[in-house]
């Protein structure tokens, strides 16, 4: 009887460690997807800003430099 109880505890602890491992893997995957999506959004925003800057410079409007603001 004693061996059955100890075997049951061992199998439960194995199950718990597997569940904990799966939860950790799921959390890591979700965090990776979140960070990748934020980086993608930032890259899109930068691409948009570069296009807008190119449009303004292309219309003979100069971009203001640091030297211009100090004068």
């Amino acid at each position: 009887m004693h061996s059955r109880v100890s075997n049951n505890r061992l199998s439960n602890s194995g199950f718990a460690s597997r569940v904990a491992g799966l939860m950790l893997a799921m959390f890591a995957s979700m965090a990776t997807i979140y960070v990748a999506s934020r980086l993608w959004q930032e890259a899109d925003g930068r691409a948009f800003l570069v296009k807008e800057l190119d449009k303004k410079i292309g219309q003979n409007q100069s971009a203001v430099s640091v030297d211009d603001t100090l004068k």
Side-chain angles (χ1 to χ4, degrees):
M1 176 93 173
H2 180 67
S3 64
R4 284 186 184 177
V5 172
S6 63
N7 286 340
N8 193 16
R9 284 184 191 159
L10 289 175
S11 66
N12 283 342
S13 67
F15 177 74
S17 66
R18 279 184 261 160
V19 169
L22 286 174
M23 293 292 286
L24 181 63
M26 184 178 72
F27 177 74
S29 299
M30 291 174 65
T32 302
I33 291 169
Y34 174 76
V35 170
S37 67
R38 293 300 301 235
L39 289 173
W40 187 280
Q41 286 177 344
E42 184 180 341
D44 282 346
R46 286 185 184 203
F48 174 75
L49 291 175
V50 166
K51 286 179 187 175
E52 290 297 313
L53 185 61
D54 286 342
K55 284 180 189 177
K56 292 205 181 269
I57 291 174
Q59 295 173 354
N60 294 330
Q61 293 178 358
S62 64
V64 176
S65 69
V66 175
D67 293 333
D68 292 338
T69 58
L70 293 176
K71 289 180 183 178

